[in-house]
C-alpha cells in the first residue's frame, strides 16, 4: 500500500533529551493532494516536518518516498529527493530583486562562470507567469507586501521542481483577500501533481483546501479525516482531546475589588485590549502563538511601547514606560523565554533572585549579606533544588530556573504577578508545585495573570480566562463556562454560533 | 555521584581562576629577578610602577566598559587630548592649578559621554562608534595644537607632583592608581551600579525586564572610562611635560590587553578591577623585561599582539570547558 503514496511516514518516534515529542506518528501524502496538518502548539507538527526535511533525525520509524524507503539525514538529502519547505518566517534577501531571490545560490551560469542575468530574469519571469503572479522580476523584495513575498518564496522553491512541498502557516500574516490569492496558487500546484503538506491553524482555510486533514496532539497521531468528514468542530475536539485533568484544585474565589484595569490598550501587535484583574484572582490568557498574549503582558509591564489605551492600578491611572516603573508599582513579570529574557545564566543563583529588590538600596550601596539571606529564604520557600545559592543558574533544571525567576519577583513583594508560560519545559512535579504556589499567593491577596498555551493548565489554574486571536481579545470565559472546545474556537477566531 | 567530593576541587580551581593572575605575576617577577640584576633595583621598580599608573588607570575604566559587553577604542586619543589640554593650561594668564586638573578631566568625560550616548542610547556598534571617536578626538587634538608638540618647563607645583611627586618611597601617580583600583572594585562589588552593569553585560534583555535602565548603565560605564582617560592624561602630562599630539594612540590596546589578562570576559557580565591592575602590571613588566634583555622594539610589538591573542584564546577555551 505504500507504493501508491508519494510519502509514507510510519511510526515515527522522536525524543529530545529523553522527552518524547513524537510517538508512533503515521503520516501519508499522495501526489496532487493537499494534506493539512493540525495540532496545538507543541503537538509535534514542526518536529515531524523537520524530520521530513532532514533537519532533525527520527529515533525510530520509516520513511517511504514513491514506494522506496528513503534515508534523509540532512536538508540536502531532502532537497535531492524533491522535498521543499516554505517556512512561516520568510527567508528572502530584502535588497535583492525578485529574480535574484528566486535563483539565490543556484544562478544560471554563462561563459567563464559569469551569472547569466538574461536567463535568470527570463526564467524567473516564466516561473511567476506559470503561477499567475503579476510581478516585475526586477523589483527589490523589500518593496513587496508580505503576501507577495510569500508568493516569491513559493516560486523560489518551485524553481527546484519539488515533488513535495510543505507550507508552514503560509497565511498567518496575510489578509483575507491575500489568503484567497495564495489558496488559488495552492490549487495550481495541486494540478501539477505536487503533494502539499499544509500546516495551518485557520479553520476556514482547512475546510476550503484540504483533501485530508491529520490531527496531532501531544506528539501522537490522533486521526485523519477525509475531505467529506472534515468539520471544524470535529477537528477542534481532536486537537484538544480529553486530557487528564491536572490533579490540582482551587477554590476559585476572589474579591470584587479591581486591582488592574486595562482599557483600549493598542500598539503594533495588539488592538483594543481591555480587561479587569481582581484582587486575589488568577486570570488566564489563552491564544495560539502570535495571538498577542505575550505582547499584551509586555505592553502592560512597560517593555513594549503602548500607542493608545489606559492602565489603572487601584483606580489610579498610571503610565508605565519602563519595567522599572512597573516594579515600583509592585508588579512582576516572568517572561516566556526564561533563558533569553529573565535569567543571568553565568551568574550565581543569589543575584538572580535579589536583583529586582536592590532598587530599594539607599545611596545605591548594596547590602550583600541581606541579598544572600533573601535569596536563601526564597530558595527554601520555593524549594529550589541546588547545591546552594552560589550555584550558577545555567546548571539548574528548567523547573528550578523557573522557580528562580518567580522567586525574584516574590522577593519584591508584588501585588500583581504576570507569568508567561510559567511551566513550559518543566516536569510534572515542579508544575504542581508552581500551581500550588500561585494558590498560596492569591490567598495572600496577590493577583496573577497566567499566559499559557496549555489549555488544561489554564482550566485547572485560572479563575477566569481571556482568549486572544490576532491581537484582540475574542472571548472571555467565567469559571463555570470553562471548556477546551470553547477556548480553542475563540482562539482560532470563531464565534460560538459556528460551533454550536 | 560524588558531587560532594568534586565540589571542593571546583572551589579551588575557581579561586585559582579568580586570583591566578597574581601567581603568574609573581612568577614573572621571580624569573626576571633572576635573569636580570637591574630588574629588581628600586629605580627600575619605580619606573615600572609609574608606567603602570597610566595604563592601569585607563584599564580600570576599560574594565567597566568591557563588563558591559562593549569596548572603547577612543581612550588612547582621549588621553592625549586631555594631556595636551593640561599642558596648555600651565601657568599662562588666568589659569590655575585646579583648572589645569579639572578641565582635562572634564574633557575626558565629555568624550566618554559622547561614546555613551552613541553606544548606550543610540545603540551604535561599539567598535565603530568608538573607533570613529578615536579619529574625531585625535583630529581635535591636532587642531588644538596646530599639529605641533606642546611642552611646558615650569608647571604648577601641585600639578608637577601628580606625575613626579613621592609620598615616602611611593610615587603619587601610583597612589592615584591604587585609589582608582580600590574605588573601581568598590563600585563593581558593592554598589547597585556595579551589579546593574554586570547584568546589562550578561543579558541586556533580562536586565531591562528586571527593571534596570540598561541605556543609562552603559552610558555611565563610558563616562567612567572617559574620566579615567582624562585622569591618565593629567598624569601623563605632569610626568612627561612634552607631548606629541599623536602619542596617545596605542594606549587603548594596552588597556584592553590588561583587562583581558585580568580575566574580564570580552562577552561582558563579569570582571574585576583588582585583577585588571595585575594585568596592567604584567603587561608593563613584560615590556620592561624585554627592554632590559635588549629585545628589539619590533619583537616587543609582536609579543604584545601574541599576549592579547593568547589571553583571549585561554578565556574561550576555559569557557568551553565549563560548558
Amino acid at each position: 500500500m505504500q507504493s501508491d503514496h508519494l510519502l509514507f511516514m510510519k511510526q515515527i518516534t522522536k525524543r529530545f533529551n529523553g522527552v518524547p515529542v513524537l510517538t508512533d506518528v503515521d503520516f501519508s501524502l499522495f501526489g496532487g493532494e493537499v494534506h493539512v496538518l493540525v495540532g496545538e502548539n507543541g503537538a509535534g507538527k514542526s518536529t515531524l516536518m523537520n524530520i521530513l526535511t532532514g533537519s532533525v533525525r527520527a529515533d525510530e520509524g520509516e520513511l517511504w518516498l514513491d514506494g522506496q524507503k528513503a534515508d534523509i539525514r540532512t536538508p540536502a538529502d531532502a532537497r535531492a529527493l524533491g522535498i521543499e519547505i516554505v517556512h512561516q518566517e520568510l527567508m528572502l534577501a530584502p535588497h535583492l530583486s525578485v529574480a535574484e531571490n528566486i535563483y539565490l545560490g543556484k544562478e544560471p551560469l554563462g561563459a567563464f562562470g559569469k551569472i547569466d542575468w538574461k536567463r535568470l530574469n527570463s526564467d524567473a519571469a516564466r516561473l511567476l507567469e506559470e503561477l499567475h503572479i503579476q510581478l516585475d522580476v526586477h523589483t527589490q523584495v523589500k518593496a513587496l507586501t508580505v503576501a507577495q513575498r510569500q508568493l516569491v518564496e513559493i516560486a523560489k522553491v518551485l524553481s527546484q521542481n519539488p515533488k513535495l512541498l510543505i507550507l508552514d502557516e503560509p497565511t498567518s500574516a496575510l489578509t483575507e483577500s491575500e489568503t484567497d490569492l495564495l489558496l488559488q496558487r495552492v490549487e495550481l500546484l495541486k494540478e501539477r501533481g505536487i503533494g502539499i503538506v499544509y500546516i495551518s491553524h485557520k479553520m476556514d482555510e482547512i475546510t476550503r483546501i484540504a483533501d485530508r486533514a491529520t490531527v496531532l496532539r501531544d506528539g501522537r497521531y490522533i486521526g485523519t479525516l477525509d475531505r467529506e468528514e472534515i468539520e471544524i468542530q470535529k477537528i477542534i475536539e481532536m486537537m484538544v482531546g480529553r486530557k487528564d485533568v491536572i490533579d490540582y484544585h482551587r477554590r476559585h474565589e476572589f474579591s470584587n475589588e479591581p486591582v488592574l484595569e486595562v482599557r483600549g490598550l493598542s500598539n503594533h501587535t495588539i488592538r483594543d485590549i481591555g480587561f479587569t484583574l481582581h484582587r486575589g484572582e488568577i486570570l488566564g490568557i489563552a491564544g495560539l502563538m502570535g495571538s498577542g498574549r505575550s505582547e499584551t503582558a509586555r505592553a502592560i509591564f512597560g517593555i513594549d511601547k503602548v500607542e493608545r489605551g489606559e492602565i489603572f492600578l487601584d483606580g489610579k491611572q498610571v503610565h508605565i514606560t519602563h519595567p522599572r516603573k512597573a516594579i515600583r508599582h509592585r508588579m512582576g513579570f516572568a517572561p516566556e523565554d526564561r533563558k533569553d529574557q529573565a535569567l543571568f545564566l553565568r551568574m550565581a543563583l543569589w543575584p538572580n533572585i535579589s536583583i529586582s529588590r536592590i532598587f530599594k538600596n539607599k545611596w545605591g550601596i548594596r547590602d550583600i549579606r541581606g541579598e544572600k539571606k533573601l535569596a536563601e529564604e526564597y530558595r527554601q520557600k520555593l524549594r529550589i533544588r541546588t547545591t546552594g545559592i552560589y550555584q550558577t543558574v545555567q546548571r539548574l533544571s528548567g523547573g528550578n530556573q523557573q522557580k528562580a525567576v518567580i522567586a525574584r519577583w516574590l522577593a519584591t513583594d508584588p501585588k500583581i504577578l504576570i507569568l508567561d508560560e510559567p511551566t513550559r519545559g518543566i516536569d510534572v512535579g515542579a508544575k504542581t508545585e508552581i500551581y500550588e504556589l500561585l494558590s498560596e499567593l492569591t490567598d495572600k491577596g496577590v493577583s496573577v495573570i497566567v499566559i499559557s498555551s496549555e489549555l488544561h493548565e489554564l482550566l485547572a489554574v485560572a479563575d477566569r480566562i481571556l482568549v486572544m486571536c490576532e491581537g484582540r481579545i475574542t472571548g472571555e470565559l467565567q469559571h463555570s463556562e470553562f471548556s477546551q472546545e470553547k477556548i480553542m474556537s475563540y482562539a482560532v477566531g470563531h464565534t460560538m454560533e459556528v460551533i454550536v | 555521584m560524588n558531587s560532594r567530593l568534586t565540589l571542593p576541587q571546583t572551589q579551588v580551581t575557581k579561586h585559582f581562576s579568580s586570583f591566578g593572575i597574581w601567581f603568574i605575576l609573581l612568577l614573572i617577577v621571580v624569573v626576571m629577578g633572576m635573569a636580570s640584576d637591574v630588574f629588581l633595583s628600586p629605580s627600575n621598580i619605580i619606573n615600572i610602577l609609574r608606567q603602570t599608573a597610566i595604563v592601569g588607570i585607563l584599564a580600570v575604566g576599560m574594565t567597566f566598559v568591557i563588563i558591559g559587553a562593549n569596548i572603547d577604542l577612543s581612550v588612547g586619543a582621549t588621553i592625549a587630548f586631555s594631556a595636551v589640554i593640561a599642558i596648555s593650561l600651565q601657568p599662562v594668564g588666568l589659569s590655575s592649578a585646579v583648572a589645569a586638573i579639572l578641565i582635562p578631566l572634564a574633557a575626558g568625560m565629555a568624550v566618554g559621554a559622547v561614546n555613551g550616548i552613541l553606544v548606550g542610547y543610540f545603540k551604535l556598534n561599539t567598535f565603530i562608534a568608538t573607533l570613529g571617536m578615536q579619529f574625531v578626538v585625535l583630529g581635535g587634538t591636532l587642531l588644538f595644537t596646530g599639529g605641533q608638540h606642546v611642552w611646558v618647563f615650569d608647571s604648577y607645583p601641585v600639578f608637577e607632583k601628580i606625575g613626579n611627586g613621592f609620598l615616602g618611597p611611593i610615587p603619587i601617580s601610583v597612589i592615584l592608581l591604587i585609589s582608582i583600583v580600590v574605588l573601581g572594585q568598590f563600585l563593581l562589588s558593592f554598589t547597585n551600579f556595579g551589579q546593574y552593569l554586570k547584568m546589562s553585560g550578561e543579558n541586556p534583555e533580562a536586565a531591562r525586564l528586571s527593571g534596570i535602565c540598561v541605556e543609562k548603565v552603559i552610558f555611565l560605564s563610558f563616562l567612567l572610562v572617559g574620566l579615567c582617560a582624562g585622569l591618565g592624561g593629567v598624569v601623563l602630562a605632569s610626568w612627561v611635560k612634552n607631548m606629541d599630539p599623536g602619542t596617545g594612540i596605542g594606549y587603548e590596546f594596552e588597556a584592553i590587553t590588561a583587562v583581558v589578562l585580568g580575566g574580564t570576559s570580552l562577552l561582558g557580565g563579569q570582571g574585576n578591577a583588582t585583577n585588571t591592575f595585575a594585568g596592567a602590571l604584567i603587561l608593563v613588566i613584560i615590556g620592561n623585561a624585554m627592554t632590559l634583555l635588549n629585545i628589539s622594539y619590533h619583537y616587543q610589538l609582536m609579543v604584545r599582539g601574541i599576549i592579547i591573542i593568547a589571553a583571549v584564546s585561554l578565556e574561550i577555551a576555559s569557557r568551553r570547558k565549563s560548558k
Side-chain angles (χ1 to χ4, degrees), chain B residues 197-220:
Chain B
L197 181 64
K198 287 178 192 167
M199 291 186 148
S200 302
E202 167 77 23
N203 187 344
E205 177 72 2
R208 195 159 84 93
L209 266 62
S210 310
I212 296 170
C213 297
V214 178
E215 292 86 355
K216 195 163 110 189
V217 169
I218 297 299
F219 171 79
L220 285 174

Side-chain angles (χ1 to χ4, degrees), chain A residues 341 346 358-359 361 364 366, chain B residues 190 192 195-196 203 206 210 268:
Chain A
Q341 301 174 339
R346 294 189 297 164
I358 72 177
F359 298 117
N361 287 340
R366 290 169 74 192
Chain B
F190 299 107
N192 286 2
Q195 187 66 5
Y196 295 163
N203 187 344
S210 310

